Amino acid sequence: MSKDSPNAASPSPARQRRSSDQVTLSQVAQAAGVSPITASRALNSPDKVSDSARLSVLQAVEKLGYVPNLVAGSLASSRSRLIAVIVPSLINSVFVEVIKGLQETLGAEGYQILLGNTDYDLDREYQLVRTFLGWSCSALVTAGLRHNKACHTLLANWDHPIMEVMELGKGMDLNVGLDHVAAGRCMAGHLIDKGYRHIVYVGARLSQDYRASMRFDGHKAVLKEKGIDAPLLELDTLGSLQAGAEGLAQVLAQYPHTQAIHFANDDLAAGALLAAQRQGLNVPGDIAIAGFNGLPLGQHVTPQLTTILSPREEMGRLAAKELIRRLSGKNVYRRQHDVGFTLQTGGST
Amino acid sequence: MSKDSPNAASPSPARQRRSSDQVTLSQVAQAAGVSPITASRALNSPDKVSDSARLSVLQAVEKLGYVPNLVAGSLASSRSRLIAVIVPSLINSVFVEVIKGLQETLGAEGYQILLGNTDYDLDREYQLVRTFLGWSCSALVTAGLRHNKACHTLLANWDHPIMEVMELGKGMDLNVGLDHVAAGRCMAGHLIDKGYRHIVYVGARLSQDYRASMRFDGHKAVLKEKGIDAPLLELDTLGSLQAGAEGLAQVLAQYPHTQAIHFANDDLAAGALLAAQRQGLNVPGDIAIAGFNGLPLGQHVTPQLTTILSPREEMGRLAAKELIRRLSGKNVYRRQHDVGFTLQTGGST
DNA sequence: CAGGAAAATGGTAGCGCTGTCATGATAGCG
DNA sequence: CGCTATCATGACAGCGCTACCATTTTCCTG
């Protein structure tokens, strides 16, 4: 009856307490016969307490099934070990691979990822940033250098590391990526070297996927230098195999003399290549096809897809390493890292 | 000089304060001429304050650039609006699609996803669960029904909704998924109907991907009922196009009479199909190929891949809806939801 | 063994917010 | 007009933890 039930009616409590029945650090400390602060240290900076204290705390943790309340810890220390990661899409496997690289490296250091998806909407990005700052994230990773005004202001006044990945340029803080204009130039150069002159660039929603439009800029510049026209076909759906097939059909209808198509990414290119096969078109005899990213799929179709290999997981890992370096207070030698890219010529061009 | 700088040297402060320079709700309240609690209500339950109070609070928020400290809010209310999501892999696009479905639906209700990746390691899952419980997550979503003992204990004592997705069975709380044994039976039945008798099942790391091994169980049962042998080839790499190509080679070497291969998933199957094409093998004439998941890729290869379509995004959306229903205190009519699957016959069998 | 440095431990006071209750202001009703 | 429902607001305390400083204990070293 008068057991230590949590709801034991106190004599005349002016106010009901709302404590959860969770085991707290104080209870652990009590069980271990030390003060709460020592228990805290035993768990968070083990080398600052004696072996005996550490041992008895760990035993008490085990015995009581204590799970640290990270929310309370973060509030008290204003450090959360959370890293906000904001990407424009989860469907596009490219970003997932970057996330994987980040997660491997950050996870090993005890950081947790708080994931946000903008669906290529900069206003949505701003909302996510606000939310994430509210979680006192230790750092923020975002795909791309473009933000809306409010977001820019918010980030500029934030005093934690910011890592912008994917592309290279003048960023807010740290930056790991590659030069998309150069990548576009590279592929266009390759197509011209191969002797193609009627080349169409096909992208999907370029106003959103502005990295693809930067590649088009590079592509266009090279063709212009050669005095060649650089038609652009923009699809209204997001990149996918299906969209690639449609892109092929539209190009053939709209620009019948086309010799080569430079697709904004491998999903589109592979979709076009597979569609061409279904229609009995010869690649590259009837039409040459090139992509971007170096997805595994491109290496397994016949002919192999000519593409530009972007080191995506590597980008994530490098970004994570640089963040960790910064977060542990070390000097950052370079704010900007170019991970480069590789032209991978297959049989499709 | 004597402005209200945050670091104004107090006369004789016994202790240095470590306040961040962040704008707090109290400052907003002061600027708006109301008490902090009214400011809190103006932001979190707007219909509980007068229009005038709400307006002045919102103006003050705007003016000061206030960003709510969600950590403090969560600690005080012990509600975080975070949803833990634990998946075994990010490379496998299947889980990413489920995450996308979850995120769409949960995001619309103001929940944030805390993402964890176990790499198919149940001990790692336990660690993630501990961490996530420490964040006072509102709910937890995990892929699969299997957990290690410690994890099971932890979850069983946790008093928030738990949603187990992907497969169907006796779960801890809520469950949305499909019957993998039935899916395996379905595909095996199809292959037998088509007249194939020498059928090999090819999976990758079945001890980890136990849903694939459940499909094999179904497959095996059907063949056994027909008195047919059911050889299994297990690859030691994770599912990928490359692994599928290797699987095909191994099957041809080890079981030369094989008429059909039932692959554990579409990545493997598509890899094998593309490899067969490169080698000049006729599909399904020389060898029939079937997969599982219904990835877009399978629909774009020639011949189209016979596969089983699993509603992945739908699974995520349904799981999210059920969670939201539970979190908003409504009754849950059914703890278990079968999202089903569809046999999709292509030219590959 | 004195003297001082280093290591181990603890007391106190919040981190910024919200749940609980109490109170004042406004409205409703016979 | 008095009395009760309703709304709007505020005071208080504390969620569980850690930073800061102070104190005690241990360990050297000459």
Side-chain angles (χ1 to χ4, degrees):
Chain A
M1 211 174 174
S2 62
K3 292 274 181 184
D4 47 23
S5 100
N7 303 353
S10 319
S12 60
R15 187 158 302 194
Q16 277 167 234
R17 290 286 102 241
R18 60 202 128 104
S19 71
S20 55
D21 52 359
Q22 213 190 312
V23 180
T24 71
L25 188 59
S26 296
Q27 293 171 32
V28 170
Q30 200 170 1
V34 298
S35 74
I37 191 67
T38 300
S40 169
R41 280 193 278 249
L43 296 175
N44 298 318
S45 33
D47 48 336
K48 285 189 181 170
V49 299
S50 64
D51 291 349
S52 66
R54 179 167 55 249
L55 193 66
S56 51
V57 168
L58 291 179
Q59 282 172 346
V61 164
E62 192 66 27
K63 183 177 152 207
L64 300 176
Y66 170 69
V67 176
N69 185 326
L70 300 174
V71 179
S74 297
L75 179 59
S77 66
S78 56
R79 283 180 291 98
S80 70
R81 295 192 85 79
L82 284 175
I83 310 272
V85 176
I86 300 180
V87 295
S89 163
L90 288 176
I91 291 308
N92 191 332
S93 67
V94 166
F95 298 108
V96 176
E97 290 178 60
V98 175
I99 292 171
K100 180 161 195 298
L102 283 165
Q103 207 234 34
E104 268 176 29
T105 312
L106 291 172
E109 296 284 321
Y111 289 97
Q112 261 305 315
I113 284 184
L114 205 50
L115 183 66
N117 172 4
T118 67
D119 279 320
Y120 288 98
D121 177 349
L122 292 185
D123 293 335
R124 176 115 189 79
E125 182 191 47
Y126 169 62
Q127 289 303 332
L128 283 170
V129 167
R130 263 181 75 95
T131 305
F132 289 164
L133 297 204
W135 280 107
S136 325
C137 287
S138 303
L140 185 142
V141 181
T142 170
L145 298 166
R146 296 201 187 167
H147 316 290
N148 71 21
K149 189 150 171 51
C151 185
H152 190 93
T153 309
L154 203 56
L155 289 178
N157 292 321
W158 195 52
D159 55 355
H160 289 264
I162 296 168
M163 169 64 81
E164 289 162 296
V165 294
M166 303 308 288
E167 78 214 68
L168 217 55
K170 194 167 157 46
M172 310 211 51
D173 186 5
L174 301 169
N175 179 210
V176 168
L178 57 92
D179 182 341
H180 286 261
V181 176
R185 294 187 68 97
C186 173
M187 183 57 83
H190 164 78
L191 293 173
I192 287 188
D193 287 350
K194 280 279 181 176
Y196 302 111
R197 288 302 175 267
H198 295 281
I199 307 171
V200 180
Y201 187 93
V202 176
R205 301 229 177 130
L206 292 185
S207 61
Q208 294 181 338
D209 185 359
Y210 65 90
R211 279 176 288 276
S213 83
M214 288 164 80
R215 296 196 288 275
F216 174 61
D217 291 343
H219 166 98
K220 192 170 55 180
V222 168
L223 298 205
K224 198 175 172 190
E225 286 162 14
K226 299 280 176 185
I228 303 176
D229 205 31
L232 166 70
L233 180 73
E234 189 171 351
L235 302 168
D236 194 35
T237 54
L238 281 175
S240 66
L241 294 172
Q242 182 59 37
E246 285 160 19
L248 174 67
Q250 287 190 35
V251 167
L252 293 178
Q254 230 169 306
Y255 306 99
H257 300 299
T258 302
Q259 299 165 318
I261 309 182
H262 181 178
F263 282 95
N265 61 53
D266 278 1
D267 289 302
L268 293 171
L273 197 151
L274 292 169
Q277 285 183 342
R278 285 197 296 277
Q279 296 166 229
L281 283 172
N282 182 277
V283 177
D286 297 322
I287 187 103
I289 290 177
F292 175 82
N293 263 333
L295 296 190
L297 173 55
Q299 308 314 302
H300 285 263
V301 292
T302 315
Q304 276 192 13
L305 189 62
T306 293
T307 186
I308 283 180
L309 193 65
S310 62
R312 299 175 295 281
E313 278 199 42
E314 171 58 21
M315 214 172 340
R317 274 195 297 268
L318 181 58
K321 273 183 210 157
E322 290 297 307
L323 272 182
I324 289 167
R325 180 197 297 279
R326 168 71 78 84
L327 287 168
S328 47
K330 292 192 193 124
N331 277 354
V332 170
Y333 306 110
R334 296 155 56 201
R335 299 164 83 89
Q336 199 177 71
H337 288 260
D338 185 350
V339 293
F341 56 82
T342 315
L343 175 67
Q344 191 155 5
T345 52
S348 73
T349 51
Chain B
M1 209 172 173
S2 62
K3 292 273 185 189
D4 46 23
S5 101
N7 303 353
S10 317
S12 59
R15 186 158 304 195
Q16 277 165 235
R17 287 289 103 242
R18 58 206 131 102
S19 71
S20 54
D21 51 358
Q22 214 191 309
V23 180
T24 71
L25 188 59
S26 296
Q27 292 172 33
V28 170
Q30 199 171 0
V34 299
S35 74
I37 191 67
T38 301
S40 170
R41 279 192 278 250
L43 296 175
N44 299 318
S45 33
D47 49 335
K48 286 190 179 169
V49 298
S50 65
D51 291 349
S52 66
R54 181 168 54 250
L55 193 64
S56 51
V57 168
L58 291 179
Q59 282 172 344
V61 164
E62 191 67 28
K63 185 178 149 206
L64 299 177
Y66 169 69
V67 176
N69 185 327
L70 300 174
V71 178
S74 297
L75 180 60
S77 66
S78 56
R79 284 179 293 98
S80 70
R81 295 191 85 79
L82 284 176
I83 310 271
V85 176
I86 299 181
V87 295
S89 162
L90 288 176
I91 291 307
N92 191 331
S93 67
V94 166
F95 298 109
V96 176
E97 290 177 60
V98 175
I99 292 172
K100 181 162 195 299
L102 283 164
Q103 206 235 34
E104 268 177 30
T105 313
L106 292 172
E109 297 283 323
Y111 289 98
Q112 261 305 316
I113 284 184
L114 205 50
L115 183 66
N117 172 4
T118 68
D119 279 320
Y120 288 99
D121 176 349
L122 292 185
D123 294 333
R124 177 116 188 77
E125 181 191 49
Y126 169 62
Q127 289 303 332
L128 283 169
V129 167
R130 263 181 74 96
T131 305
F132 289 165
L133 297 204
W135 280 107
S136 323
C137 287
S138 303
L140 186 140
V141 181
T142 170
L145 297 166
R146 295 201 189 166
H147 316 289
N148 71 21
K149 190 151 172 48
C151 186
H152 190 92
T153 309
L154 203 56
L155 289 177
N157 291 321
W158 195 53
D159 55 355
H160 290 263
I162 296 167
M163 170 64 80
E164 288 160 296
V165 294
M166 303 307 288
E167 78 214 70
L168 216 55
K170 192 164 160 46
M172 309 210 51
D173 186 7
L174 302 168
N175 179 211
V176 168
L178 57 92
D179 183 339
H180 286 260
V181 176
R185 294 188 68 98
C186 172
M187 181 58 81
H190 164 78
L191 292 174
I192 286 187
D193 287 350
K194 281 280 181 173
Y196 302 111
R197 288 302 174 267
H198 295 283
I199 307 172
V200 179
Y201 187 92
V202 176
R205 301 226 178 137
L206 293 185
S207 61
Q208 294 182 338
D209 185 357
Y210 65 91
R211 279 177 287 277
S213 82
M214 289 165 81
R215 295 194 290 275
F216 174 60
D217 291 343
H219 166 97
K220 192 169 55 179
V222 169
L223 298 206
K224 197 174 174 189
E225 287 161 15
K226 298 282 177 186
I228 302 177
D229 205 31
L232 165 69
L233 180 72
E234 188 169 353
L235 302 168
D236 193 35
T237 53
L238 282 173
S240 66
L241 294 172
Q242 182 58 38
E246 285 160 19
L248 173 66
Q250 287 190 34
V251 167
L252 293 179
Q254 230 168 307
Y255 307 98
H257 300 298
T258 303
Q259 299 166 318
I261 309 181
H262 180 179
F263 282 95
N265 61 53
D266 278 3
D267 289 302
L268 292 171
L273 198 150
L274 292 169
Q277 285 183 342
R278 284 198 297 277
Q279 297 168 227
L281 284 171
N282 182 275
V283 176
D286 297 321
I287 188 102
I289 290 176
F292 175 83
N293 264 332
L295 296 190
L297 172 56
Q299 309 312 302
H300 285 263
V301 291
T302 318
Q304 277 193 13
L305 189 63
T306 293
T307 186
I308 283 180
L309 195 64
S310 61
R312 299 175 296 282
E313 277 198 43
E314 170 58 20
M315 214 174 337
R317 275 195 296 269
L318 181 58
K321 273 184 208 153
E322 289 298 306
L323 272 183
I324 288 167
R325 179 197 298 278
R326 168 71 78 82
L327 286 169
S328 49
K330 290 189 194 128
N331 277 352
V332 170
Y333 306 111
R334 294 156 57 201
R335 298 164 83 88
Q336 197 176 71
H337 289 260
D338 186 350
V339 293
F341 56 83
T342 317
L343 175 67
Q344 190 156 6
T345 53
S348 73
T349 52

